[in-house]
Amino acid sequence: MRRSIAVLPGDGIGPEVVTESIKVLEAVGNRFGHDFVLSNGRIGGNAIDEYGTPLPQETVETCNQSDAILFGAVGGPQWDDPANDVRPEDGILAIRKSLGLFANLRPVKVYPALINSSPLKPEYLAGVDMLVLRELTGGLYFGKPKKRWTTSRGRRGVDTLKYTELEIERILRVGFELAMGRRKKLASVDKQNVLESSRLWREIALEVSEEYPEVEVEHILVDNAAMQLIRNPSSFDVIVSENTFGDILTDEASVLAGSMGMLPSASLSSLPGKNVLSKRVSLYEPIHGTAPDIAGQGVANPIGSILSTAMMLRLSFGMEEEANSVEAAVDSVLIEGYRTADISSDGGELVSTSAMGNVIANQI
Ligand code: IPM
Ligand code: MG
């Protein structure tokens, strides 16, 4: 099969981890007889430096002409001046919005081999296997007004948490469908005791849940969800939340998996499984950022990116066996004891970013 992939490495450790995903894709192509045609595009800080914009038109066209997008990370201290009117992060936000990628799937599982890499006690981690479904194109990230200004009484800033019925309903529906294919449990996260948008969220969650009587639903306040993620993480199956809550909860959840570097994600514009072979392009990225403190040193963990690539194979290309082979390769190198620095607290063999990519690709 021939498939075209837009590769957007971005900034910081983005290019380092994406390079390893490409190695793995090549191994998959060789073993299963596929031709993955890659086209690189600039995005983020390096695009600002080169073109003055974090998302050049060329990159948008490359994405539109591809079957899927493999994204690294964007941002860095050199572009962080609050006075700047363009920011690297605007690049990824604009892609998400323009491609309608409203459903961000962030699976969190604990690899038994890494149970000691987490600061949490092992007894809390057994059986953790959840999917956080984050709404990705609404809420505070995009609501207007969004601005800063100065009045006679000082500086002010505003962001707007706005959701339409349609936006809430479609993400919850994806959540329920995903729960039906899993353990049939869904936690709908909100802050309905304070926020009007959350009261709407809960009302719609109650309505949609009536269509899924087999799914056991829990409506949970976000502050409580943050606590339960640590106290009782194995109780969660599918968690659905609005954009900002999902951003925060998934960084927290990554501690369960041992490291931010482990978590993949898929950003979709329709129900997974139903978009295979459709023209709509989806985006795959690790949940971590650019990690400027370790960028360029060859020590970053590429597994989050590699597992995102497995999600691409499964969800965009319908290549289930290929995706399984990548995930199995990750499992086995972890069991064999290969560790990048972020997951090395339990010993094992410390390897570089590229050595980790090599051992995974060699298992395919
Ligand atoms: C993420 C990141 C992004 C977000 C940033 C880089 C804009 O934190 O994908 O979780 O907040 O969505
Ligand atoms: Mg984040």
Side-chain angles (χ1 to χ4, degrees):
M1 213 186 260
R2 185 186 168 89
R3 286 285 174 263
S4 59
I5 302 170
V7 179
L8 315 184
D11 309 315
I13 62 168
E16 297 170 49
V17 298
V18 164
T19 299
E20 304 314 311
S21 284
I22 291 170
K23 261 184 209 165
V24 170
L25 270 175
E26 278 164 6
V28 169
N30 289 339
R31 158 138 180 234
F32 294 90
H34 301 306
D35 189 9
F36 297 115
V37 183
L38 310 178
S39 316
N40 264 61
R42 281 190 185 261
I43 189 166
N46 68 87
I48 294 177
D49 291 348
E50 184 86 10
Y51 300 92
T53 163
L55 183 62
Q57 190 53 33
E58 272 168 62
T59 302
V60 175
E61 276 155 27
T62 304
C63 292
N64 283 330
Q65 285 156 14
S66 302
D67 298 312
I69 304 166
L70 182 62
F71 175 83
V74 288
Q78 63 270 54
W79 302 287
D80 259 353
D81 184 342
N84 290 352
D85 40 69
V86 281
R87 303 180 58 83
E89 291 79 2
D90 295 339
I92 182 63
L93 298 185
I95 291 203
R96 290 172 180 170
K97 191 72 175 176
S98 68
L99 296 174
L101 305 174
F102 71 91
N104 184 219
L105 283 64
R106 299 187 159 191
V108 182
K109 74 176 218 181
V110 172
Y111 288 83
L114 292 186
I115 215 145
N116 293 315
S117 297
S118 171
L120 295 181
K121 293 191 184 123
E123 58 264 37
Y124 287 99
L125 298 171
V128 169
D129 179 8
M130 70 181 87
L131 177 68
V132 182
L133 178 64
R134 170 186 174 195
E135 201 291 325
L136 205 57
T137 53
L140 286 173
Y141 278 63
F142 297 97
K144 299 274 170 55
K146 179 188 224 18
K147 61 174 179 175
R148 284 178 56 161
W149 72 104
T150 304
T151 74
S152 55
R153 280 175 289 160
R155 288 168 290 177
R156 298 200 173 167
V158 64
D159 292 282
T160 303
L161 208 185
K162 185 153 57 186
Y163 269 106
T164 66
E165 174 172 3
L166 182 145
E167 288 171 321
I168 297 172
E169 187 186 325
R170 69 181 176 181
I171 191 72
L172 282 160
R173 225 169 255 293
V174 172
F176 278 100
E177 291 290 334
L178 291 169
M180 286 300 286
R182 295 175 49 102
R183 301 197 306 278
K184 298 193 172 68
K185 283 183 71 178
L186 182 141
S188 169
V189 173
D190 62 44
K191 185 71 186 173
Q192 68 101 38
N193 51 349
V194 177
L195 301 176
E196 214 43 75
S197 56
S198 277
R199 286 192 267 274
L200 178 63
W201 179 286
R202 189 170 293 204
E203 195 173 297
I204 294 170
L206 283 163
E207 288 162 15
V208 177
S209 70
E210 283 177 21
E211 294 172 42
Y212 296 90
E214 285 174 61
V215 177
E216 184 192 325
V217 187
E218 174 190 19
H219 303 271
I220 180 168
L221 297 174
V222 64
D223 44 355
N224 185 22
M227 179 174 66
Q228 299 305 335
L229 265 180
I230 300 297
R231 285 185 59 139
N232 199 8
S234 63
S235 71
F236 290 108
D237 180 16
V238 175
I239 298 178
V240 192
S241 89
E242 66 92 42
N243 201 346
T244 308
F245 296 163
D247 180 43
I248 298 167
L249 292 178
T250 47
D251 269 29
E252 185 190 0
S254 75
V255 176
L256 306 166
S259 164
M260 281 274 279
M262 292 296 298
L263 295 203
S265 90
S267 304
L268 314 177
S269 59
S270 57
L271 264 182
K274 306 209 169 153
N275 67 341
V276 168
L277 302 181
S278 89
K279 284 262 177 283
R280 311 196 78 171
V281 59
S282 305
L283 181 147
Y284 300 85
E285 59 168 313
I287 80 150
H288 64 70
T290 52
D293 53 327
I294 58 162
Q297 297 173 23
V299 299
N301 184 349
I303 292 179
S305 178
I306 290 169
L307 291 173
S308 304
T309 307
M311 293 182 87
M312 169 189 294
L313 294 170
R314 176 177 293 116
L315 298 172
S316 277
F317 304 156
M319 297 178 181
E320 183 68 26
E321 196 189 341
E322 291 84 338
N324 289 341
S325 79
V326 173
E327 288 162 355
V330 169
D331 273 342
S332 68
V333 304
L334 292 174
I335 290 167
E336 285 164 25
Y338 293 102
R339 299 285 184 270
T340 44
D342 56 316
I343 48 174
S344 63
S345 60
D346 65 337
E349 183 177 340
L350 186 62
V351 294
S352 67
T353 309
S354 82
M356 183 59 102
N358 290 344
V359 289
I360 294 171
N362 287 340
Q363 298 261 350
I364 306 259

